[in-house]
Amino acid sequence: MKSLLVRFFLFSLVIAACSIAVTAWLASQATTGAIRQEQGDVLETDAQIFDELVRHAATHEDWTDAKSAVDGIAQKYGRRIALTDGNGTTLVDTGGENAPQLPITPKALVDPLNVNGKIDPRAVGPFKLNDEEYRTLYAYADQLLQCNNRITLVEAPNGRPRLPDLGPGELSIWEDCPVGNRLYTLTVTEKAAYGQLQALFSKCLDQRGWSGRNYGKSLTPTTFDWEITTVDGAPPEVVACMDSSRREQLRPHVAAPAQLFLTSPTGDEPMAIDLSTTGATRITLVALGILALAGFASWLTATQLVRPIRALTAATKRTAEGDRTARVDGGSGEIGELARSFNAMSEKLAETERQRQAMVSDVAHELRTPLGNITGWLEATQDGLAEPDPHLIDMLLEESLLLQRLVDDLHDLAQADAGTLRLHPEPIALDDVVDQVVNAQQNREILLRAETTPVHVTADPVRLRQALGNLVANAVRYTPPGGEVVVKLFRWQDEAVLEVTDTGTGIAPDDVPHVFDRFWRADKSRSRRTGGSGLGLAITRHLVEAHGGTVSVTSTLGEGSTFRISLPA
Ligand code: ADP
């Protein structure tokens, strides 16, 4: 599990799996909801169609003239409606000639005398009022409303206006409105119908041996609520008798039972999407497929991501083994950045290596001349070719002092490079330092003077004398006799500035950027005796930078140079 590749791959696989699972779940949830809703809509439509067909059957004696009415219903609900009788003969079919075959099982049985076991209230048959009775009853109803405007009237299925939910006791409301009694008197038609029903009911009771008891008392209706039933608590056989009598009475007045087929206008049933096992299997398969795709994609991405890292690792190994030419092709992004950093580091390493090698050869070169001189003179003395007189000893001493200085300089530089150059800062007056340096470097051939203002800084006086001393020594060295060297000290903004200006040889513009390099000399032929070691300015720069300051130079070839040290005051 340490491999970045594997970790990235597993990580994205887990994320992909989770998101696919959640999406699949949400989608199936939403689809199931939508399907349920749709199925509910279809059921509701079917129920409405059924209800309209029952109404038609309840108010018509047969299906002969039903075609246009059923067509209207079919169009309203966008369904194909077919009705057949018990033998399968088509009574009505709203599907055209080319309509496909009907399904085998009917949707329902349209029978107004048996809607879930009950008689549809709209089947009124002989109870239906004739026009004259209707008008008369409505005239009474108008009078009743004028008498008592708080009541509302509804129409019973047979056309009779009546008060809704009126209990027997409440009949008293028209003690003030006697017209109510007239409204609630049976019409001739109703009387005849009730009589007929009573006869059928009695006959049925007789046949079953229940005659003589007044189970049909509500057949002299006082409540007119259109629930023609037996008395409360009548035995089931009596209730069955009432039902069969009512059906017998109504049968000739309603359309015969018909089988109902409902399909879409094109013939097939609306497709129900299956979300059971097969549905779940399909969703799982699709999800697995997507997961495989996601896995493949993340594997590709992961490999691409890891490739530059592997290249980097290889390059780092080669660098560690000493190969300074290892470079990585980075590309863009964070890894590209890393690759560029690595390349920069590698170049820096190569550069440092080159400098180190150059340094070693420079040091060897610098040591060779004085050592050669010393060895040469000592051998000559040994061979008796030279006398060890005070002059020779002076010369040898001078050479060894040169060596000593060179080694000291190298030591300082090495300390600066290692960051172990120790400073001992203390509050000092810079003008004192300038005076000391100028006095130490006084020279008969050159006019060396100081222009100072009192400036105080915190610095290491010894190191600062060394740094300024190098600049003044150079100025004196590269200024021909009769020239002038001025050392200025002043404050400029937040800085203490030391300027060494000479009227000497100056430095060529191409050489200016190199003067602070180690072992660099404008005149390569100058020996240590005539020039310096080539380390003075390098050391000066290190010392000044160790104090948090900067050193810079401006120079014109043939006119002179100005070296400037700026220290934070
Ligand atoms: P060196 O010991 O050779 O003086 P430095 O590091 O002190 O070494 O100086 C490097 C080179 O910079 C010198 O060799 C010289 O060519 C040039 N240089 C330094 N100071 C001056 C100056 N004041 N005028 C002209 N050239 C200078």
Side-chain angles (χ1 to χ4, degrees):
M1 278 297 279
K2 287 222 176 85
S3 161
L4 183 63
L5 177 67
V6 174
R7 272 194 302 193
F8 177 84
F9 176 66
L10 289 181
F11 177 66
S12 38
L13 214 59
V14 168
I15 289 191
C18 290
S19 47
I20 290 170
V22 169
T23 314
W25 183 76
L26 282 179
S28 76
Q29 228 35 29
T31 323
T32 320
I35 288 170
R36 286 224 184 94
Q37 165 95 41
E38 193 150 305
Q39 283 172 342
D41 288 351
V42 169
L43 281 181
E44 199 180 307
T45 307
D46 288 357
Q48 284 165 345
I49 293 174
F50 179 76
D51 185 62
E52 296 206 14
L53 289 172
V54 169
R55 177 214 303 280
H56 184 92
T59 51
H60 293 77
E61 289 181 8
D62 49 38
W63 292 103
T64 28
D65 298 322
K67 175 78 171 131
S68 66
V70 177
D71 271 344
I73 300 172
Q75 205 147 32
K76 183 165 149 198
Y77 294 106
R79 302 276 275 155
R80 175 190 172 194
I81 301 172
L83 292 164
T84 66
D85 65 11
N87 307 323
T89 320
T90 305
L91 300 167
V92 190
D93 187 354
T94 62
E97 284 162 20
N98 312 332
Q101 273 220 311
L102 291 172
I104 298 167
T105 42
K107 196 106 201 168
L109 187 72
V110 180
D111 181 1
L113 302 185
N114 184 5
V115 179
N116 294 327
K118 291 212 170 109
I119 296 169
D120 190 274
R122 289 165 297 189
V124 293
F127 288 89
K128 186 164 179 59
L129 302 177
N130 64 35
D131 290 351
E132 198 194 320
E133 290 168 337
Y134 185 82
R135 276 195 298 275
T136 315
L137 285 186
Y138 266 90
Y140 295 151
D142 277 347
Q143 290 176 33
L144 183 62
L145 284 177
Q146 276 168 17
C147 169
N148 184 341
N149 59 9
R150 275 174 295 125
I151 58 170
T152 47
L153 290 168
V154 295
E155 192 178 293
N158 72 333
R160 165 181 282 282
R162 62 183 191 86
L163 294 161
D165 308 323
L166 184 69
E170 294 167 58
L171 283 175
S172 59
I173 63 159
W174 49 67
E175 273 168 8
D176 311 326
C177 307
V179 68
N181 281 322
R182 280 199 255 159
L183 177 65
Y184 269 52
T185 308
L186 288 179
T187 64
V188 178
T189 307
E190 285 169 319
K191 255 186 208 142
Y194 276 117
Q196 192 190 12
L197 179 58
Q198 181 70 68
L200 289 168
F201 183 49
S202 301
K203 198 173 109 199
C204 176
L205 290 180
D206 282 349
Q207 279 167 2
R208 306 200 181 176
W210 288 91
S211 54
R213 298 207 227 156
N214 194 11
Y215 283 117
K217 120 177 143 189
S218 52
L219 289 193
T220 46
T222 51
T223 60
F224 298 91
D225 60 358
W226 207 251
E227 279 282 304
I228 304 174
T229 56
T230 56
V231 287
D232 285 346
E237 292 88 343
V238 175
V239 176
C241 245
M242 173 56 81
D243 273 355
S244 68
S245 307
R246 287 202 62 206
R247 290 205 172 93
E248 196 181 335
Q249 184 189 22
L250 292 173
R251 179 57 70 202
H253 302 277
V254 299
Q259 290 183 318
L260 169 65
F261 296 89
L262 285 176
T263 64
S264 69
T266 47
D268 17 78
E269 272 300 291
M271 195 183 64
I273 294 176
D274 178 20
L275 283 182
S276 55
T277 357
T278 33
T281 324
R282 209 170 44 213
I283 290 178
T284 315
L285 281 180
V286 171
L288 282 179
I290 296 174
L291 191 62
L293 255 178
F296 180 65
S298 49
W299 179 263
L300 276 187
T301 322
T303 347
Q304 293 233 318
L305 184 79
V306 166
R307 191 178 304 141
I309 296 183
R310 288 197 172 140
L312 257 172
T313 313
T316 319
K317 272 191 192 142
R318 273 168 56 201
T319 309
E321 284 159 9
D323 180 359
R324 297 283 176 266
T325 60
R327 297 287 183 277
V328 194
D329 186 13
S332 56
E334 290 88 341
I335 301 212
E337 187 97 333
L338 180 61
R340 278 191 290 282
S341 304
F342 172 82
N343 289 346
M345 183 194 76
S346 203
E347 261 156 39
K348 185 83 192 162
L349 264 180
E351 168 70 15
T352 311
E353 194 119 315
R354 265 197 303 280
Q355 279 179 355
R356 192 176 55 85
Q357 282 164 0
M359 174 95 171
V360 171
S361 84
D362 282 343
V363 170
H365 179 78
E366 292 298 324
L367 292 177
R368 191 175 294 129
T369 322
L371 272 178
N373 286 344
I374 293 171
T375 316
W377 283 112
L378 285 178
E379 276 173 358
T381 316
Q382 203 175 34
D383 295 347
L385 298 176
E387 282 294 311
D389 54 10
H391 176 69
L392 179 69
I393 296 196
D394 273 356
M395 221 160 59
L396 288 177
L397 187 62
E398 196 179 322
E399 290 295 352
S400 69
L401 280 176
L402 282 179
L403 274 177
Q404 175 77 56
R405 277 217 331 259
L406 182 63
V407 170
D408 285 349
D409 284 356
L410 281 172
H411 182 65
D412 285 349
L413 273 178
Q415 274 190 326
D417 283 346
T420 52
L421 190 77
R422 282 274 154 88
L423 294 184
H424 301 285
E426 55 188 73
I428 52 167
L430 266 183
D431 32 330
D432 288 349
V433 174
V434 174
D435 286 344
Q436 285 166 7
V437 171
V438 168
N439 288 336
Q441 306 262 350
Q442 277 304 345
N443 182 305
R444 249 170 277 144
E445 293 165 340
I446 286 160
L447 178 58
L448 173 59
R449 62 189 175 82
E451 288 177 13
T452 57
T453 52
V455 177
H456 293 266
V457 294
T458 305
D460 183 333
V462 178
R463 292 304 194 180
L464 220 49
R465 254 200 310 271
Q466 187 184 358
L468 184 63
N470 282 345
L471 295 188
V472 176
N474 279 348
V476 171
R477 189 180 297 141
Y478 300 109
T479 302
E484 188 186 25
V485 172
V486 183
V487 182
K488 285 186 196 158
L489 167 66
F490 57 91
R491 239 174 198 287
W492 191 72
Q493 293 178 351
D494 288 351
E495 292 176 330
V497 179
L498 287 160
E499 262 183 12
V500 181
T501 307
D502 63 51
T503 56
T505 57
I507 306 164
D510 285 351
D511 293 341
V512 169
H514 299 290
V515 290
F516 293 102
D517 291 353
R518 292 169 191 190
F519 296 114
W520 186 88
R521 296 187 187 109
D523 184 356
K524 302 282 180 296
S525 64
R526 266 182 199 272
S527 76
R528 175 93 193 148
R529 200 178 309 277
T530 49
S533 62
L535 291 176
L537 286 179
I539 289 172
T540 298
R541 190 176 65 176
H542 273 297
L543 292 176
V544 171
E545 284 175 358
H547 278 93
T550 55
V551 57
S552 61
V553 59
T554 50
S555 183
T556 312
L557 196 60
E559 285 183 15
S561 318
T562 301
F563 284 80
R564 166 196 277 249
I565 293 174
S566 303
L567 292 172

